[in-house]
């Protein structure tokens, strides 16, 4: 894939910013292209102009790369390529980092022919204006304190080697980046910027200092407090405060890692003037002709816009759960946001990437993971058992039979892994290898009798087995598409499920075998997964209402629609109840929350694309309302 060498610094530490540079000359050219990737991440500049950034998070055996046409950035004669590479060094949900692997590789083609690339002639310098910071969220990122008065690091020759990576078969799209600026409100030496909605991006600030050592403090926030001040110690667990020491004259503070925020506050020290400020907004490419809703219902319009905007600005190189605390691609989150994004855009590349990312987690860790690709290993049973339907649904929407055939064995392996926990009736019991989530946050489980966060024997419970049946049915359907023999195991599982959990006296499913409690979750999932049509259960769902999280709301609404209650589902999407998208909007949301309200969870993220179920429901059951 690459003709050049992998280049790296001669020394490496965590939270390290490295600038690789190459000077070269070109003459009489018409087109030019660069193919590039780096570990963990890069930002590319040609002759001082920003070109792009990447790559998408990747395992080293399917490493993603990007391509850019750079003819407009080059000039006849001398040129400079500069690549700012970041090695984080943390084992978290963001990148496959903390492995001591860093550096970059690039090929440059001029008029269709390889012209030059990374090799031992390149030089690098450590950007020592980054002077450390505190860890954010779940060790997701560092704050970026800066000191522009330090002497620049000297340029050194790189270490060049054969790349220890296997690259993906084709270039992956890089994020779109656009600088957005607004006028600040002023209160003495405090500049407050309200960008009008929450974005994902990096701050860019120009500040003038009368002397060496002038200071600015940067705060970023998703919301303001009761006094109108930015809440930079955010409820999601990130404390967005950064301090910069300036040199005399004009300083350009271009921060590196992205954050999720709406408000930026700049506190200027003595002798410092803030000249300009912007946010470099980033997101996966989003078409101008994205799907729209046709309705006179103002609430439906508002909810659709909230969800569409969330997906537009929240989705990055992966289907991340949120841009603040985790920045992680969770399988369950991606199941919701990925298909919603596909319906809006018609672009299936993120779905396909996610399917391979989760499949590749087995090669990386020896077990199928629920968050990938990254160096953090986590398993969630409910999410893993969604993978077969994720793949089947992707095939149904795209017709990509090659991917279906290649990844079908992964689905078989998932079922084989969980079959180890089958009891004599075939149901899963005491599944202790993965978290039995039920719902999240925990206060949205409607009193579910089994406590997945507690201690003791896990036992035999309803929700996990509903997911197991759903996975089994999906695998059987995949085998049918591929014309492969497959026993009808699902029929026996459904019979055993009904025998274990259906209470004939109440006509409802109980949470546990021989249990006394019937939660919303135990009853909505059998309906949503297509193996229950009992009138008593459906009436119970209507009576209960949407007493679940914004994540499982998709399955609740789907259960209603499959039961012929589409109008009731539509009313709930537009409702103004406590558990509603309109409640988020009333609380000032410009992106969907992790929970129904700001205070509905202890550490609520206010930008969570997993909460965009209305896009899926509208596309699956109300297509005539969309264009």
């Amino acid at each position: 894939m690459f003709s050049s060498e992998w280049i790296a610094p001669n020394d490496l530490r965590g939270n390290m910013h490295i600038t690789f540079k190459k000077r070269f000359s070109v003459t009489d050219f018409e087109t030019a292209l660069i193919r590039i990737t780096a570990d963990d991440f890069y930002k590319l500049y040609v002759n001082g102009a920003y070109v792009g950034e990447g790559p998408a998070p990747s395992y080293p055996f399917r490493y993603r790369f990007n391509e850019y046409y750079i003819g407009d950035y080059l000039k006849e004669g001398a040129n400079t390529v500069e690549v700012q590479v970041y090695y984080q060094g943390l084992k978290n949900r963001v990148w496959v980092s903390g492995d001591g692997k860093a550096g970059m590789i690039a090929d440059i083609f001029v008029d269709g022919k390889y012209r030059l690339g990374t090799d031992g002639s390149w030089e690098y310098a450590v950007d020592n204006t980054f002077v450390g910071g505190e860890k954010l969220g779940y060790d997701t990122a560092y704050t970026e304190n800066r000191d522009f008065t330090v002497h620049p690091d000297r340029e050194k020759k790189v270490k060049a080697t054969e790349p220890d990576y296997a690259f993906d078969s084709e270039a992956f799209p890089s994020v779109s980046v656009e600088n957005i600026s607004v006028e600040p409100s002023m209160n003495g030496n405090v500049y407050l910027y309200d960008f009008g909605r929450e974005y994902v991006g990096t701050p860019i600030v120009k500040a003038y200092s009368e002397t060496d050592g002038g200071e600015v403090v940067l705060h970023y926030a998703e919301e303001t407090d009761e006094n109108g001040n930015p809440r930079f110690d955010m409820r999601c667990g990130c404390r967005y405060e950064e301090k910069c020491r300036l040199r005399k004259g004009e300083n350009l503070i271009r921060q590196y890692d992205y954050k999720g925020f709406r408000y930026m506050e700049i506190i200027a020290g003595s002798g410092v003037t803030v000249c300009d400020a912007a946010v470099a907004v980033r997101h996966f490419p989003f078409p101008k002709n994205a799907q729209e809703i046709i309705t006179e219902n103002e609430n439906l319009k508002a909810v659709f816009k909230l969800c569409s905007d969330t997906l537009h600005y929240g989705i990055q190189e992966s289907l991340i759960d949120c841009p603040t605390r985790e920045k992680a691609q969770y399988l369950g989150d991606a199941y919701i946001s990925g298909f919603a994004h596909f319906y809006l855009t018609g672009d299936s590349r993120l779905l396909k990437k996610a399917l391979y990312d989760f499949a590749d987690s087995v090669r990386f860790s020896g077990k199928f993971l629920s968050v990938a690709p990254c160096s953090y290993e986590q398993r969630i049973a409910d999410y893993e058992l969604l993978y077969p339907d994720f793949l089947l649904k992707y095939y149904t929407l795209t017709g990509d039979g090659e991917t279906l055939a290649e990844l079908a064995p992964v689905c078989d392996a998932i079922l084989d892994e969980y079959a180890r926990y089958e009891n004599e009736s075939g149901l899963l019991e005491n599944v202790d290898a993965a978290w039995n989530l039920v719902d999240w946050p925990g206060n949205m489980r409607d009193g579910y009798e089994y406590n997945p966060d507690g201690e003791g024997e896990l036992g035999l419970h309803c929700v996990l087995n509903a997911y197991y049946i759903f996975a089994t049915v999906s695998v059987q359907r995949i085998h049918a598409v591929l014309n492969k023999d497959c026993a009808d195991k699902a029929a026996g599982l459904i019979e055993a499920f009904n025998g274990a959990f259906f209470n004939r006296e109440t006509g409802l499913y109980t949470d546990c075998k021989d249990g006394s409690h019937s939660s919303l979750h135990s009853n909505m999932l059998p309906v949503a997964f297509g193996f229950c049509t009992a009138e008593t259960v459906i009436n119970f769902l209507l009576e209960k209402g949407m007493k679940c999280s914004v994540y499982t709301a998709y399955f609740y609404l789907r259960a209603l629609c499959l039961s012929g209650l589409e109008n009731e589902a539509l009313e709930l999407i537009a409702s103004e109840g406590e558990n509603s998208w309109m409640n988020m909007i009333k609380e000032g949301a410009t992106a969907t929350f992790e929970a129904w309200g700001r205070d509905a969870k202890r550490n609520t993220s206010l930008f969570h694309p997993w909460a965009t179920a209305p896009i899926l429901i509208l596309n699956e059951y109300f297509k005539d309302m969309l264009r």
Side-chain angles (χ1 to χ4, degrees):
M1 184 58 63
F2 284 89
S3 300
S4 302
E5 295 177 289
W6 184 270
I7 60 174
N10 289 292
D11 56 341
L12 188 64
R13 57 173 170 77
N15 196 20
M16 187 176 188
H17 293 260
I18 312 147
T19 300
F20 294 95
K21 188 176 291 187
K22 177 66 176 178
R23 300 171 181 86
F24 64 100
S25 296
V26 291
T27 57
D28 298 328
F29 70 93
E30 292 184 2
T31 64
L33 177 143
I34 188 169
R35 178 177 297 155
I36 184 172
T37 194
D39 193 347
D40 295 325
F41 199 76
Y42 73 84
K43 294 191 178 185
L44 169 65
Y45 295 81
V46 175
N47 292 325
Y50 170 83
V51 178
E53 58 192 70
S58 313
Y59 290 120
F61 45 82
R62 196 190 301 272
Y63 211 72
R64 269 75 181 200
F65 63 92
N66 308 109
E67 291 180 345
Y68 306 93
Y69 288 97
I70 57 172
D72 292 341
Y73 299 94
L74 294 180
K75 59 188 178 183
E76 294 282 341
N79 293 269
T80 301
V81 171
E82 183 177 288
V83 185
Q84 299 172 359
V85 173
Y86 179 55
Y87 174 70
Q88 187 188 65
L90 296 173
K91 290 189 180 238
N92 57 26
R93 299 163 173 84
V94 185
W95 290 303
V96 185
S97 193
D99 53 3
K101 298 174 69 172
M104 62 162 292
I105 191 169
D107 290 346
I108 297 175
F109 300 87
V110 177
D111 292 336
K113 296 181 180 180
Y114 177 81
R115 171 68 171 77
L116 75 151
T118 46
D119 59 22
S121 68
W122 284 55
E123 296 179 321
Y124 79 95
V126 176
D127 187 345
N128 51 22
T129 66
F130 290 90
V131 291
E134 301 297 321
K135 293 178 184 176
L136 297 170
Y138 297 156
D139 287 355
T140 299
Y142 288 97
T143 53
E144 296 175 341
N145 298 324
R146 309 288 295 274
D147 186 348
F148 293 93
T149 69
V150 299
H151 293 292
D153 187 37
R154 64 179 180 85
E155 292 186 346
K156 302 173 281 285
K157 291 295 184 183
V158 300
K159 177 173 61 179
T161 60
E162 288 294 315
D164 185 23
Y165 299 79
F167 299 104
D168 203 6
S169 58
E170 57 185 24
F172 195 73
S174 60
V175 291
S176 298
V177 179
E178 175 190 5
N179 291 352
I180 292 180
S181 59
V182 295
E183 290 298 315
S185 60
M186 299 286 298
N187 183 10
N189 65 332
V190 179
Y191 301 70
L192 178 61
Y193 300 82
D194 177 359
F195 293 100
R197 62 154 295 108
E198 184 163 0
Y199 288 113
V200 179
T202 52
I204 304 172
V205 176
K206 290 181 181 178
Y208 181 86
S209 179
E210 294 176 0
T211 62
D212 282 342
E215 293 185 348
V216 294
V217 178
L218 308 177
H219 291 149
Y220 322 100
E222 295 184 298
E223 58 184 321
T224 56
D225 63 20
E226 61 276 8
N227 298 316
N229 299 315
R231 185 174 173 172
F232 62 90
D233 198 350
M234 302 199 307
R235 67 178 73 231
C236 69
C238 295
R239 192 173 192 276
Y240 279 164
E241 179 178 66
E242 297 174 333
K243 298 178 180 179
C244 300
R245 190 166 185 262
L246 308 179
R247 67 178 181 275
K248 182 178 180 180
E250 187 173 89
N251 296 257
L252 176 61
I253 307 169
R254 188 187 292 272
Q255 302 295 65
Y256 194 90
D257 201 357
Y258 71 79
K259 302 173 178 66
F261 63 97
R262 171 176 174 171
Y263 302 94
M264 178 164 64
E265 178 183 67
I266 305 176
I267 304 173
S270 177
V272 173
T273 302
V274 176
C275 308
D276 193 18
V279 55
V281 174
R282 70 192 311 271
H283 55 76
F284 195 77
F286 197 85
K288 292 182 179 179
N289 63 340
Q291 190 179 69
E292 297 177 344
I293 190 169
I294 309 166
T295 179
E296 294 182 0
N297 186 315
E298 295 301 322
N299 282 9
L300 273 180
K301 286 181 183 177
V303 170
F304 186 90
K305 185 178 188 308
L306 177 70
C307 294
S308 178
D309 285 351
T310 301
L311 295 161
H312 181 169
Y313 296 108
I315 300 299
Q316 303 299 313
E317 303 97 329
S318 297
L319 298 165
I320 61 170
D321 67 328
C322 71
T324 52
R325 187 179 58 238
E326 290 109 336
K327 300 184 178 181
Q329 182 172 255
Y330 277 93
L331 200 160
D333 300 42
Y335 182 84
I336 303 293
S337 64
F339 286 108
H341 187 271
F342 170 79
Y343 285 130
L344 282 178
T345 66
D347 190 336
S348 63
R349 291 175 293 186
L350 284 168
L351 287 172
K352 184 175 181 179
K353 175 186 178 295
L355 285 165
Y356 278 97
D357 285 340
F358 292 111
D360 287 344
S361 70
V362 179
R363 180 176 172 185
F364 173 73
S365 71
K367 48 188 175 288
F368 189 89
L369 302 176
S370 300
V371 53
C374 61
S375 55
Y376 182 82
E377 298 187 10
Q378 184 173 11
R379 296 190 60 193
I380 302 174
D382 315 48
Y383 287 5
E384 294 173 19
L385 292 169
L386 277 176
Y387 186 85
D389 189 66
F390 197 142
L391 176 60
L392 179 62
K393 194 168 186 174
Y394 166 81
Y395 165 74
T396 302
L397 292 171
T398 66
D400 183 357
E402 182 178 345
T403 295
L404 182 74
E406 186 174 353
L407 297 182
V410 178
C411 301
D412 296 336
I414 290 171
L415 287 190
D416 289 343
E417 163 71 11
Y418 280 92
R420 299 187 298 113
Y421 295 94
E422 289 184 353
N423 62 18
E424 64 280 358
S425 68
L427 297 178
L428 302 186
E429 190 166 0
N430 295 324
V431 177
D432 58 3
W435 185 15
N436 299 193
L437 183 69
V438 179
D439 203 349
W440 190 253
N443 60 0
M444 288 282 102
R445 294 180 182 134
D446 191 35
Y448 194 71
E449 194 168 356
Y450 155 73
N451 177 18
D453 304 321
E455 297 180 355
E457 191 173 80
L458 297 171
L460 176 68
H461 67 102
C462 183
V463 163
L464 184 63
N465 280 283
Y467 277 105
Y468 188 50
I469 291 171
F470 189 43
T472 302
V473 170
S474 298
V475 169
Q476 290 178 190
R477 289 173 177 167
I478 289 170
H479 283 213
V481 171
L482 298 174
N483 294 314
K484 294 173 62 178
D485 292 335
C486 182
D488 184 8
K489 183 178 179 178
L493 286 177
I494 293 170
E495 183 178 355
F497 182 92
N498 288 330
F501 302 115
F502 192 74
N503 184 322
R504 296 189 179 279
E505 292 183 6
T506 63
L508 302 175
Y509 289 100
T510 57
D511 302 339
C512 303
K513 188 177 187 300
D514 301 323
S516 59
H517 185 262
S518 294
S519 68
L520 175 66
H521 300 72
S522 293
N523 288 274
M524 71 175 170
L525 292 179
V527 179
F529 294 158
F531 60 89
C532 172
T533 58
E535 186 175 349
T536 50
V537 172
I538 295 166
N539 288 337
F540 176 76
L541 299 185
L542 277 176
E543 292 168 8
K544 271 281 184 181
M546 204 157 51
K547 299 293 178 64
C548 58
S549 77
V550 289
Y551 167 67
T552 51
Y554 167 66
F555 300 109
Y556 176 77
L557 295 170
R558 172 172 162 164
L560 295 186
C561 291
L562 286 173
S563 304
L565 300 171
E566 294 94 334
N567 289 337
E568 286 79 356
L570 198 63
E571 289 174 4
L572 283 170
I573 292 174
S575 77
E576 298 184 12
E578 182 179 358
N579 288 11
S580 72
W581 287 271
M582 285 302 300
N583 189 64
M584 298 182 200
I585 292 171
K586 284 189 288 185
E587 291 191 11
T590 60
T592 52
F593 297 166
E594 182 186 12
W596 293 115
R598 295 173 189 265
D599 296 318
K601 180 176 180 283
R602 176 182 59 82
N603 59 346
T604 305
S605 153
L606 303 186
F607 201 154
H608 226 80
W610 80 341
T612 52
I615 300 290
L616 276 73
I617 295 298
L618 289 167
N619 273 276
E620 291 167 356
Y621 301 99
F622 302 94
K623 198 70 176 178
D624 58 336
M625 297 180 66
L626 305 168
R627 65 178 178 192

